[in-house]
Amino acid sequence: AASGKAGGFIAADGWGDGITDELHREGFALHEELASELGVRSYRKLPTKSVSQTGGKPGRNTQADSAGSQGPALLNAATTRASQMDDHTAQVTPQELCDRLVEAAKASGVEVRMEGAAGLTESGDGNYAVRLDSGETIAADRVVITTGPWAVAAEDWLGGRIKVPMVGIASTSLVLQAPAGATVAAQACFCSGDRKHGTHLELYPRPDDSVYVSGFGGSPQLDKDEILSNTPSSVPVNEARAVAVREVLAELLDARLVPEEGIAGELRACMRPCPPDARPLIGPVPSTNVLIGAGHNCWGITWGPPTGRALAELVLHGTSTRLDLAPFTPTRFL
C-alpha cells in the first residue's frame, strides 16, 4: 500500500519464522544497496534495545545514558532499564524510500500514474486489463497487484481464482519531534507491555531527531468489507489510545524530550495486511497474466525490496532466482 506511514524498521537474522528468514536477509542487504544507489539519506544502521519499566519516578534532570546531559537523549534512566536486543538492525523513513523509488522509476522511463484501480477486466483467456476509477482501461502483458490489505479485492477481480483471507490491522502511530537543541539517540527500542494501559511501545528515532512511536495496543482488526470501505488516506487514528500512549511516553522518555506543556506530536494511521499464516502472498496467479505481492504484516519495509525483485524476475524471466517462492504461493488458501 506504500502509505509512507510505517516505522521503517529493518531486521535481518533472528526475526523470521524459518520460512521468512530469507526475506529478512535479502531485505536487509537490498536496503543497504538501495540507500547507496538511490541516495536515501534516512537509511542508517542502528542497534535495537529491549526496554522495561523500573517503576521509578521521572525527574526533570534524568538522562538516558552516561553521555551526559548534552549527549543524545531517548530513555529516562530513572524509569527504564535497557538491554541489547540486536546490534544488526537498520531503519529508513518510508516516505523518503517511496519517493526515491518513484523518482528512479521515472528516470528509467516508467510512466507513473497516481490513480485508483477500480478492478480488472478479463478478455476471456485469462488475460486481464486494469480498469481505473476514471473508467479508462489499460491493457497489460502482466498485471502486478501490490496493494497491501486492499489486495483482498483480487478475490472478486479474478473471479475466485484466488483467495486472499487477510485481515487489516488499523495501526495508529505518533511522530514526535525533539525540542530545539535536543538530539535523539540512534537506537530502536522494543518496550515491555504496560499493564495499566495495555501498550507495547516501539520507538524508532530517526536521523532528523524525530521519534516514530507505534505499539499502541487495541488496534482494530478489519474484515474484507471494512478494508475496502477505507483508503490508505482514510484509515482513522485511535485518539483514545493516543491519550494512554502519551501518558506512558511521559514516563519512558528522557526529560529533555518531554516539553513542560506535555507530549503532542503528529498522529498517523496505516493498515497492516495480515494473512492467517503470517506469510505474504508472492507469485503468479495460475492461468492468468496476474502476479501478486501482498500480505507482509509488519514487515512490509524489510520484505518489500526482495518481494519487488522476485516479482520483477517473474515478469522478465518467469522465475525467481534468489527466493524460493513455494511457501508464499498465492493459491495456498484455495
Side-chain angles (χ1 to χ4, degrees):
S3 68
K5 300 174 184 177
F9 180 65
I10 307 165
D13 296 320
W15 294 80
D17 65 358
I19 290 176
T20 59
D21 287 354
E22 198 61 28
L23 283 168
H24 279 279
R25 285 191 289 269
E26 290 290 316
F28 195 86
L30 274 172
H31 269 288
E32 187 167 14
E33 293 177 22
L34 287 169
S36 175
E37 179 180 342
L38 303 180
V40 182
R41 300 181 65 181
S42 62
Y43 171 85
R44 64 179 178 182
K45 293 181 178 177
L46 78 174
T48 297
K49 305 286 186 178
S50 175
V51 178
S52 59
Q53 291 181 266
T54 63
K57 298 295 183 181
R60 292 305 307 169
N61 297 311
T62 56
Q63 53 206 38
D65 50 38
S66 59
S69 60
Q70 301 306 310
L74 185 57
L75 298 174
N76 191 317
T79 62
T80 63
R81 180 181 297 110
S83 60
Q84 189 82 330
M85 187 174 178
D86 191 340
D87 61 359
H88 191 55
T89 49
Q91 70 175 162
V92 68
T93 301
Q95 186 65 60
E96 186 198 9
L97 175 64
C98 293
D99 290 344
R100 297 293 87 76
L101 287 168
V102 169
E103 290 169 2
K106 289 180 177 179
S108 68
V110 174
E111 180 184 358
V112 178
R113 297 176 60 172
M114 301 295 186
E115 299 190 44
L120 301 178
T121 301
E122 186 182 7
S123 63
D125 55 2
N127 286 317
Y128 287 85
V130 179
R131 188 174 70 257
L132 301 180
D133 286 342
S134 64
E136 179 185 356
T137 297
I138 302 176
D141 294 324
R142 296 287 188 274
V143 175
V144 183
I145 299 173
T146 53
T147 52
W150 289 274
V152 295
E155 293 183 338
D156 301 323
W157 291 357
L158 294 168
R161 294 175 186 264
I162 186 176
K163 294 291 184 184
V164 188
M166 289 192 291
V167 298
I169 299 181
S171 301
T172 298
S173 58
L174 180 67
V175 180
L176 309 174
Q177 189 65 47
T183 58
V184 181
Q187 56 184 42
C189 295
F190 283 71
C191 304
S192 59
D194 169 66
R195 293 182 180 180
K196 179 180 178 181
H197 298 291
T199 66
H200 45 90
L201 297 186
E202 300 173 16
L203 312 178
Y204 302 114
R206 290 174 169 172
D208 64 354
D209 287 320
S210 64
V211 182
Y212 179 98
V213 183
S214 60
F216 281 38
S219 299
Q221 298 189 16
L222 309 184
D223 62 20
K224 177 181 175 181
D225 291 339
E226 291 170 318
I227 292 171
L228 295 177
S229 70
N230 282 278
T231 67
S233 61
S234 71
V235 180
V237 299
N238 192 328
E239 296 280 359
R241 296 302 300 162
V243 173
V245 166
R246 289 188 174 102
E247 184 176 328
V248 176
L249 287 172
E251 297 182 1
L252 283 176
L253 294 179
D254 186 292
R256 288 170 288 166
L257 302 181
V258 182
E260 294 285 356
E261 64 273 17
I263 293 172
E266 178 188 357
L267 283 175
R268 302 174 175 182
C270 58
M271 197 182 302
R272 291 189 281 122
C274 301
D277 59 2
R279 295 167 189 163
L281 292 79
I282 308 172
V285 179
S287 303
T288 74
N289 64 334
V290 177
L291 301 95
I292 187 169
H296 293 62
N297 200 330
C298 60
W299 292 113
I301 297 299
T302 296
W303 296 350
T307 297
R309 181 169 62 185
L311 291 170
E313 289 178 336
L314 288 171
V315 168
L316 294 172
H317 311 299
T319 186
S320 170
T321 63
R322 300 291 294 269
L323 290 177
D324 176 11
L325 297 181
F328 313 121
T329 177
T331 58
R332 67 184 184 272
F333 298 113
L334 287 173

